[in-house]
Amino acid sequence: MGLFSNIFGNGGKEIDDALKQMKNLAGDIIDDGQINDSQKQPVAQNSVPAPQYIVTPAQEFVDGGPSGDSWGPVMPSEENQFNSGLNYRDYFTKVFSENFSSYQIDKEDVRNGSAMLFTFSQDGAKKLVVEVISSRSNPYKVRNDCRSQGIAYLRYYYDYDGWWNTKSYVIRRTSKALGIG
């Protein structure tokens, strides 16, 4: 149980769940390199840090904002996980195999079939592990294992409302993690 569940009982579970999702999102942003050490500002003791991001209306994201090609309130017309006609396993398998053919890509069902791991290797060396998981999953074990082994790591959520996993987004983000984009 989380802090708010302990204090408020079942009513605090929603707050704990929301905080867990925000923590997961922050981890994704840091893992993607969207925040790097040069962007971090030292915080003076007893001061309130300035906000790092400007909130933009959702319509701007849909029309081409920083990640508007893959998230927002309206499904993009580009091929994505939800309009491809494939389940998430087959969608990611197809995108990876069609666009990263120079890598050996091993896939594995994990967490009793509720998640997948894709391991990209080249010349016998692991280059990247991609975890495709539910937003309700604990994403830290595989990520921490990869970090300790010096292997690049990515995570995609297959059931996060408004996150479309468009083909171009998956290719761009995976390429960047492999150091080819």
Side-chain angles (χ1 to χ4, degrees), residues 118-136:
F118 292 88
T119 303
F120 290 65
S121 300
Q122 198 171 49
D123 300 325
K126 285 185 184 179
K127 300 292 186 179
L128 172 66
V129 173
V130 176
E131 189 173 28
V132 182
I133 62 174
S134 167
S135 60
R136 296 176 299 276

mmCIF file with all atom_site columns, all heavy atoms in Angstrom, residues 118-136:
data_model
loop_
_atom_site.group_PDB
_atom_site.id
_atom_site.type_symbol
_atom_site.label_atom_id
_atom_site.label_alt_id
_atom_site.label_comp_id
_atom_site.label_asym_id
_atom_site.label_entity_id
_atom_site.label_seq_id
_atom_site.pdbx_PDB_ins_code
_atom_site.Cartn_x
_atom_site.Cartn_y
_atom_site.Cartn_z
_atom_site.occupancy
_atom_site.B_iso_or_equiv
_atom_site.pdbx_formal_charge
_atom_site.auth_seq_id
_atom_site.auth_comp_id
_atom_site.auth_asym_id
_atom_site.auth_atom_id
_atom_site.pdbx_PDB_model_num
ATOM 1   N N   . PHE A 1 118 ? 11.904 -7.347  -26.213 1.00 0.00 ? 118 PHE A N   1
ATOM 2   C CA  . PHE A 1 118 ? 12.585 -7.483  -27.492 1.00 0.00 ? 118 PHE A CA  1
ATOM 3   C C   . PHE A 1 118 ? 14.055 -7.175  -27.222 1.00 0.00 ? 118 PHE A C   1
ATOM 4   O O   . PHE A 1 118 ? 14.377 -6.093  -26.713 1.00 0.00 ? 118 PHE A O   1
ATOM 5   C CB  . PHE A 1 118 ? 12.040 -6.488  -28.514 1.00 0.00 ? 118 PHE A CB  1
ATOM 6   C CG  . PHE A 1 118 ? 10.625 -6.760  -28.939 1.00 0.00 ? 118 PHE A CG  1
ATOM 7   C CD1 . PHE A 1 118 ? 9.557  -6.227  -28.238 1.00 0.00 ? 118 PHE A CD1 1
ATOM 8   C CD2 . PHE A 1 118 ? 10.359 -7.549  -30.054 1.00 0.00 ? 118 PHE A CD2 1
ATOM 9   C CE1 . PHE A 1 118 ? 8.255  -6.459  -28.630 1.00 0.00 ? 118 PHE A CE1 1
ATOM 10  C CE2 . PHE A 1 118 ? 9.051  -7.789  -30.462 1.00 0.00 ? 118 PHE A CE2 1
ATOM 11  C CZ  . PHE A 1 118 ? 8.001  -7.244  -29.744 1.00 0.00 ? 118 PHE A CZ  1
ATOM 12  N N   . THR A 1 119 ? 14.929 -8.119  -27.550 1.00 0.00 ? 119 THR A N   1
ATOM 13  C CA  . THR A 1 119 ? 16.356 -7.914  -27.362 1.00 0.00 ? 119 THR A CA  1
ATOM 14  C C   . THR A 1 119 ? 17.021 -7.801  -28.723 1.00 0.00 ? 119 THR A C   1
ATOM 15  O O   . THR A 1 119 ? 16.950 -8.721  -29.529 1.00 0.00 ? 119 THR A O   1
ATOM 16  C CB  . THR A 1 119 ? 16.973 -9.076  -26.559 1.00 0.00 ? 119 THR A CB  1
ATOM 17  O OG1 . THR A 1 119 ? 16.282 -9.194  -25.318 1.00 0.00 ? 119 THR A OG1 1
ATOM 18  C CG2 . THR A 1 119 ? 18.449 -8.827  -26.297 1.00 0.00 ? 119 THR A CG2 1
ATOM 19  N N   . PHE A 1 120 ? 17.630 -6.646  -28.983 1.00 0.00 ? 120 PHE A N   1
ATOM 20  C CA  . PHE A 1 120 ? 18.322 -6.371  -30.236 1.00 0.00 ? 120 PHE A CA  1
ATOM 21  C C   . PHE A 1 120 ? 19.794 -6.700  -30.045 1.00 0.00 ? 120 PHE A C   1
ATOM 22  O O   . PHE A 1 120 ? 20.432 -6.157  -29.132 1.00 0.00 ? 120 PHE A O   1
ATOM 23  C CB  . PHE A 1 120 ? 18.197 -4.887  -30.602 1.00 0.00 ? 120 PHE A CB  1
ATOM 24  C CG  . PHE A 1 120 ? 16.825 -4.442  -31.005 1.00 0.00 ? 120 PHE A CG  1
ATOM 25  C CD1 . PHE A 1 120 ? 15.759 -4.451  -30.113 1.00 0.00 ? 120 PHE A CD1 1
ATOM 26  C CD2 . PHE A 1 120 ? 16.596 -3.982  -32.289 1.00 0.00 ? 120 PHE A CD2 1
ATOM 27  C CE1 . PHE A 1 120 ? 14.500 -4.025  -30.474 1.00 0.00 ? 120 PHE A CE1 1
ATOM 28  C CE2 . PHE A 1 120 ? 15.334 -3.543  -32.679 1.00 0.00 ? 120 PHE A CE2 1
ATOM 29  C CZ  . PHE A 1 120 ? 14.284 -3.571  -31.775 1.00 0.00 ? 120 PHE A CZ  1
ATOM 30  N N   . SER A 1 121 ? 20.328 -7.568  -30.892 1.00 0.00 ? 121 SER A N   1
ATOM 31  C CA  . SER A 1 121 ? 21.743 -7.936  -30.822 1.00 0.00 ? 121 SER A CA  1
ATOM 32  C C   . SER A 1 121 ? 22.383 -7.753  -32.179 1.00 0.00 ? 121 SER A C   1
ATOM 33  O O   . SER A 1 121 ? 21.714 -7.827  -33.219 1.00 0.00 ? 121 SER A O   1
ATOM 34  C CB  . SER A 1 121 ? 21.890 -9.407  -30.399 1.00 0.00 ? 121 SER A CB  1
ATOM 35  O OG  . SER A 1 121 ? 21.308 -9.627  -29.144 1.00 0.00 ? 121 SER A OG  1
ATOM 36  N N   . GLN A 1 122 ? 23.694 -7.528  -32.155 1.00 0.00 ? 122 GLN A N   1
ATOM 37  C CA  . GLN A 1 122 ? 24.455 -7.396  -33.395 1.00 0.00 ? 122 GLN A CA  1
ATOM 38  C C   . GLN A 1 122 ? 25.855 -7.921  -33.115 1.00 0.00 ? 122 GLN A C   1
ATOM 39  O O   . GLN A 1 122 ? 26.470 -7.542  -32.112 1.00 0.00 ? 122 GLN A O   1
ATOM 40  C CB  . GLN A 1 122 ? 24.497 -5.935  -33.834 1.00 0.00 ? 122 GLN A CB  1
ATOM 41  C CG  . GLN A 1 122 ? 24.873 -5.729  -35.266 1.00 0.00 ? 122 GLN A CG  1
ATOM 42  C CD  . GLN A 1 122 ? 24.672 -4.269  -35.665 1.00 0.00 ? 122 GLN A CD  1
ATOM 43  O OE1 . GLN A 1 122 ? 25.121 -3.356  -34.981 1.00 0.00 ? 122 GLN A OE1 1
ATOM 44  N NE2 . GLN A 1 122 ? 23.982 -4.065  -36.774 1.00 0.00 ? 122 GLN A NE2 1
ATOM 45  N N   . ASP A 1 123 ? 26.334 -8.802  -33.992 1.00 0.00 ? 123 ASP A N   1
ATOM 46  C CA  . ASP A 1 123 ? 27.655 -9.425  -33.822 1.00 0.00 ? 123 ASP A CA  1
ATOM 47  C C   . ASP A 1 123 ? 27.794 -10.079 -32.451 1.00 0.00 ? 123 ASP A C   1
ATOM 48  O O   . ASP A 1 123 ? 28.847 -9.992  -31.812 1.00 0.00 ? 123 ASP A O   1
ATOM 49  C CB  . ASP A 1 123 ? 28.769 -8.396  -34.040 1.00 0.00 ? 123 ASP A CB  1
ATOM 50  C CG  . ASP A 1 123 ? 28.723 -7.781  -35.430 1.00 0.00 ? 123 ASP A CG  1
ATOM 51  O OD1 . ASP A 1 123 ? 28.355 -8.507  -36.379 1.00 0.00 ? 123 ASP A OD1 1
ATOM 52  O OD2 . ASP A 1 123 ? 29.038 -6.576  -35.560 1.00 0.00 ? 123 ASP A OD2 1
ATOM 53  N N   . GLY A 1 124 ? 26.713 -10.702 -31.988 1.00 0.00 ? 124 GLY A N   1
ATOM 54  C CA  . GLY A 1 124 ? 26.737 -11.430 -30.725 1.00 0.00 ? 124 GLY A CA  1
ATOM 55  C C   . GLY A 1 124 ? 26.641 -10.573 -29.475 1.00 0.00 ? 124 GLY A C   1
ATOM 56  O O   . GLY A 1 124 ? 26.680 -11.095 -28.369 1.00 0.00 ? 124 GLY A O   1
ATOM 57  N N   . ALA A 1 125 ? 26.529 -9.258  -29.621 1.00 0.00 ? 125 ALA A N   1
ATOM 58  C CA  . ALA A 1 125 ? 26.458 -8.366  -28.464 1.00 0.00 ? 125 ALA A CA  1
ATOM 59  C C   . ALA A 1 125 ? 25.066 -7.764  -28.351 1.00 0.00 ? 125 ALA A C   1
ATOM 60  O O   . ALA A 1 125 ? 24.503 -7.294  -29.337 1.00 0.00 ? 125 ALA A O   1
ATOM 61  C CB  . ALA A 1 125 ? 27.488 -7.252  -28.588 1.00 0.00 ? 125 ALA A CB  1
ATOM 62  N N   . LYS A 1 126 ? 24.532 -7.757  -27.133 1.00 0.00 ? 126 LYS A N   1
ATOM 63  C CA  . LYS A 1 126 ? 23.246 -7.111  -26.889 1.00 0.00 ? 126 LYS A CA  1
ATOM 64  C C   . LYS A 1 126 ? 23.420 -5.607  -27.028 1.00 0.00 ? 126 LYS A C   1
ATOM 65  O O   . LYS A 1 126 ? 24.296 -5.007  -26.404 1.00 0.00 ? 126 LYS A O   1
ATOM 66  C CB  . LYS A 1 126 ? 22.725 -7.414  -25.482 1.00 0.00 ? 126 LYS A CB  1
ATOM 67  C CG  . LYS A 1 126 ? 22.172 -8.793  -25.306 1.00 0.00 ? 126 LYS A CG  1
ATOM 68  C CD  . LYS A 1 126 ? 21.584 -8.934  -23.897 1.00 0.00 ? 126 LYS A CD  1
ATOM 69  C CE  . LYS A 1 126 ? 21.115 -10.346 -23.653 1.00 0.00 ? 126 LYS A CE  1
ATOM 70  N NZ  . LYS A 1 126 ? 20.571 -10.497 -22.289 1.00 0.00 ? 126 LYS A NZ  1
ATOM 71  N N   . LYS A 1 127 ? 22.563 -4.995  -27.842 1.00 0.00 ? 127 LYS A N   1
ATOM 72  C CA  . LYS A 1 127 ? 22.636 -3.554  -28.075 1.00 0.00 ? 127 LYS A CA  1
ATOM 73  C C   . LYS A 1 127 ? 21.499 -2.793  -27.407 1.00 0.00 ? 127 LYS A C   1
ATOM 74  O O   . LYS A 1 127 ? 21.655 -1.635  -27.047 1.00 0.00 ? 127 LYS A O   1
ATOM 75  C CB  . LYS A 1 127 ? 22.610 -3.256  -29.578 1.00 0.00 ? 127 LYS A CB  1
ATOM 76  C CG  . LYS A 1 127 ? 23.750 -3.873  -30.349 1.00 0.00 ? 127 LYS A CG  1
ATOM 77  C CD  . LYS A 1 127 ? 25.059 -3.225  -29.985 1.00 0.00 ? 127 LYS A CD  1
ATOM 78  C CE  . LYS A 1 127 ? 26.182 -3.740  -30.862 1.00 0.00 ? 127 LYS A CE  1
ATOM 79  N NZ  . LYS A 1 127 ? 27.446 -3.105  -30.554 1.00 0.00 ? 127 LYS A NZ  1
ATOM 80  N N   . LEU A 1 128 ? 20.332 -3.456  -27.289 1.00 0.00 ? 128 LEU A N   1
ATOM 81  C CA  . LEU A 1 128 ? 19.151 -2.766  -26.772 1.00 0.00 ? 128 LEU A CA  1
ATOM 82  C C   . LEU A 1 128 ? 18.131 -3.787  -26.291 1.00 0.00 ? 128 LEU A C   1
ATOM 83  O O   . LEU A 1 128 ? 17.932 -4.823  -26.930 1.00 0.00 ? 128 LEU A O   1
ATOM 84  C CB  . LEU A 1 128 ? 18.509 -1.917  -27.883 1.00 0.00 ? 128 LEU A CB  1
ATOM 85  C CG  . LEU A 1 128 ? 17.153 -1.266  -27.608 1.00 0.00 ? 128 LEU A CG  1
ATOM 86  C CD1 . LEU A 1 128 ? 17.261 -0.202  -26.514 1.00 0.00 ? 128 LEU A CD1 1
ATOM 87  C CD2 . LEU A 1 128 ? 16.590 -0.653  -28.884 1.00 0.00 ? 128 LEU A CD2 1
ATOM 88  N N   . VAL A 1 129 ? 17.483 -3.466  -25.182 1.00 0.00 ? 129 VAL A N   1
ATOM 89  C CA  . VAL A 1 129 ? 16.335 -4.233  -24.706 1.00 0.00 ? 129 VAL A CA  1
ATOM 90  C C   . VAL A 1 129 ? 15.143 -3.288  -24.711 1.00 0.00 ? 129 VAL A C   1
ATOM 91  O O   . VAL A 1 129 ? 15.207 -2.192  -24.149 1.00 0.00 ? 129 VAL A O   1
ATOM 92  C CB  . VAL A 1 129 ? 16.561 -4.805  -23.292 1.00 0.00 ? 129 VAL A CB  1
ATOM 93  C CG1 . VAL A 1 129 ? 15.287 -5.450  -22.754 1.00 0.00 ? 129 VAL A CG1 1
ATOM 94  C CG2 . VAL A 1 129 ? 17.711 -5.811  -23.300 1.00 0.00 ? 129 VAL A CG2 1
ATOM 95  N N   . VAL A 1 130 ? 14.070 -3.707  -25.387 1.00 0.00 ? 130 VAL A N   1
ATOM 96  C CA  . VAL A 1 130 ? 12.832 -2.928  -25.436 1.00 0.00 ? 130 VAL A CA  1
ATOM 97  C C   . VAL A 1 130 ? 11.776 -3.704  -24.672 1.00 0.00 ? 130 VAL A C   1
ATOM 98  O O   . VAL A 1 130 ? 11.507 -4.871  -24.974 1.00 0.00 ? 130 VAL A O   1
ATOM 99  C CB  . VAL A 1 130 ? 12.361 -2.688  -26.884 1.00 0.00 ? 130 VAL A CB  1
ATOM 100 C CG1 . VAL A 1 130 ? 11.021 -1.953  -26.888 1.00 0.00 ? 130 VAL A CG1 1
ATOM 101 C CG2 . VAL A 1 130 ? 13.403 -1.909  -27.672 1.00 0.00 ? 130 VAL A CG2 1
ATOM 102 N N   . GLU A 1 131 ? 11.183 -3.051  -23.703 1.00 0.00 ? 131 GLU A N   1
ATOM 103 C CA  . GLU A 1 131 ? 10.130 -3.654  -22.902 1.00 0.00 ? 131 GLU A CA  1
ATOM 104 C C   . GLU A 1 131 ? 8.806  -3.014  -23.317 1.00 0.00 ? 131 GLU A C   1
ATOM 105 O O   . GLU A 1 131 ? 8.684  -1.794  -23.333 1.00 0.00 ? 131 GLU A O   1
ATOM 106 C CB  . GLU A 1 131 ? 10.429 -3.399  -21.421 1.00 0.00 ? 131 GLU A CB  1
ATOM 107 C CG  . GLU A 1 131 ? 9.542  -4.127  -20.472 1.00 0.00 ? 131 GLU A CG  1
ATOM 108 C CD  . GLU A 1 131 ? 9.989  -3.957  -19.024 1.00 0.00 ? 131 GLU A CD  1
ATOM 109 O OE1 . GLU A 1 131 ? 10.601 -2.934  -18.670 1.00 0.00 ? 131 GLU A OE1 1
ATOM 110 O OE2 . GLU A 1 131 ? 9.696  -4.867  -18.239 1.00 0.00 ? 131 GLU A OE2 1
ATOM 111 N N   . VAL A 1 132 ? 7.839  -3.826  -23.689 1.00 0.00 ? 132 VAL A N   1
ATOM 112 C CA  . VAL A 1 132 ? 6.496  -3.345  -24.038 1.00 0.00 ? 132 VAL A CA  1
ATOM 113 C C   . VAL A 1 132 ? 5.578  -3.857  -22.933 1.00 0.00 ? 132 VAL A C   1
ATOM 114 O O   . VAL A 1 132 ? 5.371  -5.065  -22.803 1.00 0.00 ? 132 VAL A O   1
ATOM 115 C CB  . VAL A 1 132 ? 6.054  -3.845  -25.428 1.00 0.00 ? 132 VAL A CB  1
ATOM 116 C CG1 . VAL A 1 132 ? 4.679  -3.281  -25.778 1.00 0.00 ? 132 VAL A CG1 1
ATOM 117 C CG2 . VAL A 1 132 ? 7.077  -3.466  -26.502 1.00 0.00 ? 132 VAL A CG2 1
ATOM 118 N N   . ILE A 1 133 ? 5.074  -2.922  -22.134 1.00 0.00 ? 133 ILE A N   1
ATOM 119 C CA  . ILE A 1 133 ? 4.375  -3.301  -20.904 1.00 0.00 ? 133 ILE A CA  1
ATOM 120 C C   . ILE A 1 133 ? 3.079  -2.522  -20.721 1.00 0.00 ? 133 ILE A C   1
ATOM 121 O O   . ILE A 1 133 ? 2.835  -1.519  -21.377 1.00 0.00 ? 133 ILE A O   1
ATOM 122 C CB  . ILE A 1 133 ? 5.265  -3.080  -19.664 1.00 0.00 ? 133 ILE A CB  1
ATOM 123 C CG1 . ILE A 1 133 ? 5.644  -1.608  -19.504 1.00 0.00 ? 133 ILE A CG1 1
ATOM 124 C CG2 . ILE A 1 133 ? 6.501  -3.948  -19.715 1.00 0.00 ? 133 ILE A CG2 1
ATOM 125 C CD1 . ILE A 1 133 ? 6.394  -1.295  -18.231 1.00 0.00 ? 133 ILE A CD1 1
ATOM 126 N N   . SER A 1 134 ? 2.299  -2.989  -19.769 1.00 0.00 ? 134 SER A N   1
ATOM 127 C CA  . SER A 1 134 ? 1.089  -2.296  -19.349 1.00 0.00 ? 134 SER A CA  1
ATOM 128 C C   . SER A 1 134 ? 1.472  -1.113  -18.467 1.00 0.00 ? 134 SER A C   1
ATOM 129 O O   . SER A 1 134 ? 2.483  -1.168  -17.748 1.00 0.00 ? 134 SER A O   1
ATOM 130 C CB  . SER A 1 134 ? 0.196  -3.261  -18.563 1.00 0.00 ? 134 SER A CB  1
ATOM 131 O OG  . SER A 1 134 ? -0.830 -2.562  -17.902 1.00 0.00 ? 134 SER A OG  1
ATOM 132 N N   . SER A 1 135 ? 0.666  -0.085  -18.494 1.00 0.00 ? 135 SER A N   1
ATOM 133 C CA  . SER A 1 135 ? 0.917  1.070   -17.632 1.00 0.00 ? 135 SER A CA  1
ATOM 134 C C   . SER A 1 135 ? 0.753  0.709   -16.155 1.00 0.00 ? 135 SER A C   1
ATOM 135 O O   . SER A 1 135 ? 1.165  1.462   -15.287 1.00 0.00 ? 135 SER A O   1
ATOM 136 C CB  . SER A 1 135 ? -0.025 2.217   -17.993 1.00 0.00 ? 135 SER A CB  1
ATOM 137 O OG  . SER A 1 135 ? -1.369 1.814   -17.832 1.00 0.00 ? 135 SER A OG  1
ATOM 138 N N   . ARG A 1 136 ? 0.183  -0.437  -15.880 1.00 0.00 ? 136 ARG A N   1
ATOM 139 C CA  . ARG A 1 136 ? 0.002  -0.888  -14.498 1.00 0.00 ? 136 ARG A CA  1
ATOM 140 C C   . ARG A 1 136 ? 1.183  -1.726  -14.008 1.00 0.00 ? 136 ARG A C   1
ATOM 141 O O   . ARG A 1 136 ? 1.174  -2.220  -12.891 1.00 0.00 ? 136 ARG A O   1
ATOM 142 C CB  . ARG A 1 136 ? -1.287 -1.694  -14.384 1.00 0.00 ? 136 ARG A CB  1
ATOM 143 C CG  . ARG A 1 136 ? -2.537 -0.871  -14.680 1.00 0.00 ? 136 ARG A CG  1
ATOM 144 C CD  . ARG A 1 136 ? -3.803 -1.702  -14.660 1.00 0.00 ? 136 ARG A CD  1
ATOM 145 N NE  . ARG A 1 136 ? -3.814 -2.765  -15.644 1.00 0.00 ? 136 ARG A NE  1
ATOM 146 C CZ  . ARG A 1 136 ? -4.159 -2.637  -16.921 1.00 0.00 ? 136 ARG A CZ  1
ATOM 147 N NH1 . ARG A 1 136 ? -4.487 -1.459  -17.387 1.00 0.00 ? 136 ARG A NH1 1
ATOM 148 N NH2 . ARG A 1 136 ? -4.164 -3.665  -17.734 1.00 0.00 ? 136 ARG A NH2 1
#
